[in-house]
Amino acid sequence: QVQLQESGPGLVKPSQTLSLTCTVSGGSITTSGYYWNWIRQPPGRGLEWIGYITYSGSTYYSPSLKNRTSISRDTSKNQFTLQLISVTPEDTAVYYCAREQIRHDESEDWGQGTQVTVSS
């Protein structure tokens, strides 16, 4: 069973960089055929897709966030990371990482989520 766990600071100051790590167990982030996603949910709002990194290291970002977003990976640690620069209070949300099969013939695996608050 694949498990994902988000980690990182729960409080970030405005204008600084939000950095989160997703640690994966039970499967390799280099296994062919999967996207490794970051998604967030602001309070009282719906899920918002941020972007993903593929099994081969390619990245793709939401048009609304791509100018501030960077997703990378550390294959030796079986981790992938999210960096969101120049944050504002509007970036306050629960942040999730999730594994998605490209062919979509199996269900996604999600982490439990981690709360990130942007406040001074």
Side-chain angles (χ1 to χ4, degrees), residues 53-119:
I53 188 165
T54 73
Y55 60 92
S56 62
S58 300
T59 55
Y60 195 80
Y61 307 111
S62 169
S64 64
L65 295 169
K66 64 180 180 180
N67 290 336
R68 297 195 292 130
T69 305
S70 179
I71 299 174
S72 58
R73 64 179 182 169
D74 186 338
T75 58
S76 68
K77 297 180 179 179
N78 210 35
Q79 297 176 151
F80 63 104
T81 62
L82 170 70
Q83 292 192 337
L84 183 66
I85 68 171
S86 303
V87 298
T88 73
E90 284 66 48
D91 294 309
T92 294
V94 177
Y95 284 76
Y96 299 91
C97 56
R99 186 187 72 162
E100 173 190 13
Q101 189 189 38
I102 296 173
R103 292 191 295 176
H104 291 102
D105 59 4
E106 64 184 38
S107 60
E108 296 86 4
D109 293 284
W110 289 65
Q112 64 185 7
T114 186
Q115 171 70 226
V116 179
T117 299
V118 179
S119 176

Side-chain angles (χ1 to χ4, degrees), residues 28-43:
S28 174
I29 62 172
T30 62
T31 297
S32 299
Y34 292 95
Y35 297 152
W36 302 88
N37 294 264
W38 285 103
I39 307 99
R40 69 181 184 181
Q41 185 169 32

